[in-house]
Structures are given as structure tokens and as C-alpha cells.
Amino acid sequence: MPKPSSRPIAWRLLDGAEAVARRLWPRPLRGQTGYLLLTPAVLLVGLLVIGLGYMADYSLRELDLSTYRLVDEYSLTNYQILWDRPVFTRVFLRTLLAAVLVTVFSLLLAFPYAYVMVRTGSSRLRKLLLIALFLPFFIGQVVRAYGWLIILGSEGLLNSALGAIGLGPFDLLYNYPSVIFGLIQYMLPFAVLMLVPAVAAIGQDVELASEGLGANWMQTLWFVVLPMAKPGFIGAGLVVFTLTLTDFAMPEILGGGTSDFIASSIYDAFFQLSNFGLGAAIALVLVVIGSVLAVGILALVGTGTLGMTNPSSRAQARRRGRS
Amino acid sequence: MTGARAKAWVLWSIVVLCVVTLSLPTLIIIGASFTSGDIIRFPPDGFSLRWYEELASERAFWDALWRSFYVSVICTVLSIPVGTLAAIATVRYRLRLRRTLQIYLLLPFTIPLVVSGIGMMIFFGEIRILGQLWPVGIGLCVINLPFMIWAVSASVNSLDPELENAAANCGAAPVHVFFTVTLPAVTPGVITGGLLMFVLAFNEFLVSLFLVDSRTVTLPVQIYNNIRSVITPDLAAVSVVYILFAVVAVWLLDRIVGLEIFLRSK
């Protein structure tokens, strides 16, 4: 056994750490180590729970117009206002419709993308498709929306091109379709990345078998590939749907006030009307709608690719839990 | 063989459409930033670097860039230990209520960003830290934390627990095992997650919008504020900073873990 001083410095540091750990976290607590490791994350996420608590509190308190403060008594007045004013119903329906449209179109576009990326034999093409996917993902929503402003604006690329052949100019911006379009291209990377694991899990031999048995490619796609990729569609669809439902920047920048989403209403209630109670009420309704839809879909069709652990580790955990 | 050709044709036309839609804004912004005119129009007025020169001398831009960098560093430095420990705990340790805890840790994704942002704004206001810069970094860490946990979880999942058991069997104490076996094995996940956290914090807009004020405005919020008034080419030059940044991030991600890691089936 070498003298302690001749051992590497890293070992001595680790031994020190070990001693400290033993002092701070004695053996009887060892079974609880998992909870200890989780504590910082649980506390951080707790910030959101606290925030939600404040929102719930505010949403039940009416704005006193003489002092511009929220009254102390609880009531459902803010929710009543939401229910009574058709403008809010319109905003909610507009946002829900957008979420449905964007989800459908993103999945339609994302599936071929994911499929080609997984199936292609060329590694350079695969890399190119990956880069085309990640670059916009990393550039951020505001900058991308700005790019579309340049393209779709009245003196933008598209109108200039159309003008050159004697068409237009068209008002391509500040309307509902431009918001939907901007959202679809914004959601595309999310959708593809969520679909890819499911597509990659489908063996090419299964497709070959299907075709060998006489199915044409559309039948193979419809009866074999798409059903097998279902978990990916659920995961991707859910992510795109909830992200669209709660989006703020695209409707603001590309909609220019013509196609406000729920998030815009929340923002306006807080910062234009200074009615924190009303804003919090809209926010809570949004949370409830989003959660109910998400939980409903998950309960109906399973967790898809959203499960955080893979099946083997889940099985391991179950085994360990039992022993 | 016409079937195969039809299939290739359909798939490829959609893929090309996607690639064009994904890349067009980026390319247009780069092009627009080099115009010599006062407004952006097509065909461009001519080539110049004047908007970059103006940008370089604009104090507000450098301040906002620095603030964005600062909050991104706080976000990343905080998320690395927190996310790594949480990932190890959820995958490796026997936990009661594992499912509930996992759903709880996904709250940052399920609570709409606008709600998270305003909620934290109210809470930070109550405890009198709103208006400072560091809470913005914490806020950005919270809303993106699941990315970090997810990235590390993937690494922990692929680490055979028998390796840790073997180390323990050879006499290594728990802290030793953690630093010499577990941590090196999950490092690729930690790096991927850290990179994601940094990039996402650097271009996060909505939550920042609620947590900053005019003295602590970060770059994405500044771009947004300027978009709302008037579209000038200096914004294109700022945006190019983001594009360059994204290129570096993608390159780093590819070098460190390989982009193909995202193509693996579960």
C-alpha cells in the first residue's frame, strides 16, 4: 500500500469528497440518494408552480377600476368576462384552428423529410438534411419571422418576383394564412426530430416484405409504415399542437395584430389593459385547454415517443423495483 | 418500376419544398444585410458593408449582445449540474412516484411559455429581483431544463449499470464511482445538453420579454422591439450574428456528438 502522499492528487481529492459526502449524507440516508439528486431540478421547476399559483390567485380577483388594483375578495368575475365577450371566444377558436392546421400540415411535410433522412443511402445527403433542420432550429423564432417579413413584405422578394412577370403586388403579410405558414415552417424541425426515432425503428425489411407480397408503395406506406410510425406521429403532433396553441411571436410579427392568438390576448390584458386578473384568467384557461387536450390524446393513444426513458430501462427499473 | 419512381418523385418534391422553406429566410437575411440602400427591397440597391459598420458602432447592440451572452452562460452553468443529477436520478435510482416526478419535470414544456414567463415575472417581482439580469438566466434555465435532462438521460440509458457495479465491487466508494465511471460515460450527453441550453437561451424571446426591462434588454427582445417599429437593414445585420452563431453551434454539435445521434431509433 503506497503512502497516502504518493497517491495521485485526483484520488486524494475524491477521498476528501467521499469523506465530506459521508459526513453530510450518512449511510442510513443512502436509499434516498435519488431524491437528493432530484431536489435542485424539482426546486427550479417549482418556480413555475409558484408562478402558476400567483396566476390562479390573480385570476380569481376582479380589477377595481377606481384604484387599478385587484380586489381581495375571490370571485369568478374574470372567467365570466371571458365567457361573455365574443372577442375571447373568437381568439380561442382562431388559435385552436391554427393549432389543428399547423399540426396536420407540419406532420404531412415532416414525415417524408424524416423518412428520406432515415432511408437515404448517402451520408452526405443525410448530413445536409440534418443541417437544414438544425440551423433554423438554432437561429430562433424572431430572426426567422424577420426573414419572412423580408420575403413576404410589399417590397419583398416574392412581390418583386411576381411584379416582374406583371402580377401583384399582393398583401401577403399581416393575415391569418401568413401566420399559419410561418408557424408550419417554424414547427417543421420539431416535427421531424420527434418523428425520426419512430421511422428509424421500422426495419427496411418490413417494407421489402410488404412489397414482396405484392403491395405497391402507397399500400405499403398506408398499411405498414404509417401504422408503425404512429408513436412518432403522436409525439410530434402533440408537441407541434401545444407549441402552436401557445405561440406568441409568429402571430404578433407575421399577423401584425390581425390574427391575435391566445398568448397575445394574455399579453394585452397584462400590459395594455393592466388587468392582471383578466390576463391570469385567460392564461389559466389556456393551461387547462392545453393540458386537457394533451392528457386526453395521451390517454387515448398512448405516450408515443414522448416517454422519457426507453423501454429497456423502464423494464430494468421495474425489475429492480420488484426485487 | 414506375411505382418506385412515383414514390421517389413524391417524397423528393416534398423534401425539396421543406428544405427551401427552412433555408430561404436565412439566405434572404444574409443577402439583405449587404444592401447599400436604406430599405430592403428586391433587386437590392447594391453591395456594401455599411450596415455592419453601423452595427459595430452601435452601443445598444453590443450591450444587448453581452447581456444575452451573460444570461446564456448563467442558464448553461446552472443547468449542467441540475439536469445531470436529475437525469441520473430518474434513470438509475429507485424512486417512488417515478412517473409523477417525470411528469413534474416536464412541466416547463407543458406550461405555455407565456404563462411561465408572466408567472416568473410576478414571483421575481414579489421577491424584488425583477429588473436584474441574473434571474433572466435562471428563468431560461427552468423553461429549457427538460432538454438537458433528456440529453443526459439518453447517455445514462446507454451506460450499462454493471460498469458502475463493477467499480463498486472493486472497492470504489459512491462518489468515486460517480466521478470516475458515471460522469465520464455521460459526458457526451452533458455536452449536447449544455450546448442546446446555451443556444436556446441565447435566442429565447418570449420569457425574456417578460423578465427584462429597458435597462436589461437582451438581443432577441431588442430585435423584436425594432421589428415592430420599422424594417431597416441593420436588423438583417444583427440577424446575421444569430445565423453565424447557429452555424457554429451546429458545427460544434456535429463535431462533438455527431448530428446523426438524433436519427437513432428508441
Side-chain angles (χ1 to χ4, degrees):
Chain A
M1 180 99 184
K3 275 190 302 195
S5 60
S6 68
R7 285 195 266 155
I9 180 88
W11 285 32
R12 273 183 283 151
L13 279 177
L14 279 173
D15 285 345
E18 202 77 57
V20 172
R22 248 191 310 259
R23 176 72 57 83
L24 293 178
W25 197 249
R27 190 163 272 283
L29 287 173
R30 282 286 158 81
Q32 314 298 318
T33 307
Y35 299 102
L36 177 74
L37 301 183
L38 268 181
T39 307
V42 169
L43 289 180
L44 267 187
V45 175
L47 287 177
L48 298 185
V49 179
I50 294 172
L52 264 187
Y54 274 107
M55 301 283 253
D57 176 59
Y58 284 10
S59 76
L60 293 170
R61 292 159 57 191
E62 197 185 342
L63 182 72
D64 182 349
L65 284 172
S66 57
T67 58
Y68 253 84
R69 284 166 175 245
L70 298 178
V71 297
D72 286 331
E73 297 80 41
Y74 285 147
S75 72
L76 288 174
T77 318
N78 290 317
Y79 293 98
Q80 189 66 43
I81 293 173
L82 279 188
W83 185 252
D84 287 342
R85 292 205 193 141
V87 55
F88 290 115
T89 316
R90 215 157 46 230
V91 170
F92 273 99
L93 289 179
R94 180 192 294 140
T95 314
L96 277 172
L97 175 67
V100 171
L101 288 174
V102 171
T103 307
V104 169
F105 282 105
S106 311
L107 291 182
L108 275 179
L109 293 173
F111 177 75
Y113 200 106
Y115 184 84
V116 167
M117 198 156 66
V118 170
R119 282 283 185 261
T120 177
S122 152
S123 61
R124 285 175 70 182
L125 175 67
R126 188 175 299 129
K127 184 79 90 191
L128 183 85
L129 290 177
L130 275 166
I131 292 173
L133 208 60
F134 270 94
L135 213 50
F137 185 57
F138 280 0
I139 285 173
Q141 201 178 6
V142 177
V143 171
R144 278 160 78 187
Y146 173 68
W148 287 112
L149 282 185
I150 302 179
I151 295 168
L152 301 175
S154 54
E155 292 202 65
L157 178 69
L158 214 54
N159 264 322
S160 309
L162 290 172
I165 55 170
L167 292 174
F170 297 101
D171 285 327
L172 301 169
L173 268 181
Y174 308 134
N175 52 39
Y176 195 54
S178 66
V179 176
I180 300 288
F181 172 76
L183 280 167
I184 292 172
Q185 69 91 34
Y186 175 65
M187 297 300 168
L188 203 52
F190 292 99
V192 175
L193 287 177
M194 297 296 295
L195 265 176
V196 152
V199 177
I202 305 170
Q204 198 151 17
D205 42 351
V206 181
E207 280 178 65
L208 289 175
S210 162
E211 279 169 21
L213 292 168
N216 64 34
W217 71 274
M218 276 195 276
Q219 287 166 326
T220 304
L221 189 71
W222 188 253
F223 292 110
V224 178
V225 180
L226 290 184
M228 286 181 82
K230 195 177 123 190
F233 278 103
I234 296 163
L238 206 57
V239 166
V240 172
F241 187 86
T242 46
L243 284 179
T244 307
L245 195 65
T246 60
D247 197 66
F248 177 81
M250 282 295 168
E252 284 291 313
I253 298 174
L254 294 182
T258 61
S259 331
D260 283 358
F261 277 20
I262 302 174
S264 326
S265 298
I266 299 174
Y267 184 90
D268 290 346
F270 269 92
F271 300 103
Q272 315 256 294
L273 305 174
S274 296
N275 189 341
F276 281 34
L278 185 65
I282 311 174
L284 280 189
V285 174
L286 175 62
V287 172
V288 169
I289 290 181
S291 320
V292 166
L293 284 173
V295 171
I297 293 171
L298 288 182
L300 219 60
V301 288
T303 51
T305 50
L306 285 177
M308 291 264 288
T309 51
N310 68 23
S312 64
S313 78
R314 218 174 294 150
Q316 271 172 21
R318 224 175 291 134
R319 239 177 287 132
R320 243 180 276 157
R322 216 181 289 137
S323 59
Chain B
M1 271 293 92
T2 51
R5 199 176 301 161
K7 178 183 177 184
W9 201 85
V10 171
L11 287 178
W12 276 104
S13 44
I14 297 180
V15 170
V16 169
L17 176 73
C18 288
V19 172
V20 169
T21 337
L22 286 171
S23 320
L24 197 59
T26 314
L27 299 175
I28 289 299
I29 288 173
I30 296 175
S33 70
F34 290 110
T35 184
S36 57
D38 286 325
I39 59 161
I40 295 173
R41 65 168 155 227
F42 294 89
D45 292 328
F47 178 89
S48 86
L49 289 174
R50 63 177 279 213
W51 295 107
Y52 287 96
E53 283 160 21
E54 272 184 37
L55 192 64
S57 61
E58 201 180 321
R59 185 72 200 277
F61 160 73
W62 288 108
D63 287 348
L65 181 67
W66 164 246
R67 286 188 209 107
S68 276
F69 185 75
Y70 180 80
V71 296
S72 307
V73 168
I74 290 186
C75 165
T76 313
V77 168
L78 183 63
S79 71
I80 286 177
V82 173
T84 307
L85 295 181
I88 292 174
T90 45
V91 179
R92 273 284 184 274
Y93 284 84
R94 201 189 309 166
L95 299 168
R96 242 176 295 159
L97 305 173
R98 169 194 303 270
R99 203 71 201 123
T100 316
L101 281 167
Q102 281 181 340
I103 291 172
Y104 175 85
L105 290 179
L106 275 175
L107 275 182
F109 282 2
T110 50
I111 300 177
L113 283 182
V114 58
V115 180
S116 304
I118 297 181
M120 284 193 285
M121 177 191 83
I122 295 172
F123 180 56
F124 288 171
E126 292 284 335
I127 59 173
R128 310 238 172 273
I129 55 172
L130 193 66
Q132 297 177 55
L133 205 50
W134 60 268
V136 182
I138 293 182
L140 298 183
C141 176
V142 174
I143 56 158
N144 287 323
L145 195 60
F147 277 115
M148 187 76 207
I149 299 179
W150 163 78
V152 183
S153 294
S155 285
V156 182
N157 264 327
S158 58
L159 165 65
D160 188 345
E162 293 308 329
L163 287 175
E164 287 158 316
N165 292 342
N169 240 346
C170 295
V175 176
H176 231 106
V177 175
F178 177 79
F179 278 104
T180 54
V181 180
T182 316
L183 203 54
V186 302
T187 300
V190 175
I191 293 174
T192 313
L195 195 65
L196 272 178
M197 293 300 284
F198 190 90
V199 175
L200 292 173
F202 196 68
N203 57 39
E204 208 291 327
F205 151 70
L206 186 51
V207 168
S208 316
L209 180 69
F210 297 119
L211 297 183
V212 302
D213 59 28
S214 55
R215 291 166 299 123
T216 55
V217 71
T218 52
L219 198 50
V221 180
Q222 174 144 347
I223 296 178
Y224 175 76
N225 289 340
N226 289 333
I227 281 181
R228 287 171 73 81
S229 44
V230 64
I231 302 176
T232 49
D234 60 340
L235 268 192
V238 183
S239 303
V240 170
V241 173
Y242 269 99
I243 295 169
L244 286 177
F245 192 80
V247 170
V248 172
V250 171
W251 180 78
L252 271 179
L253 195 61
D254 192 35
R255 283 301 300 270
I256 297 170
V257 292
L259 292 177
E260 284 81 3
I261 198 172
F262 294 94
L263 296 180
R264 281 202 309 231
S265 66
K266 283 210 175 179

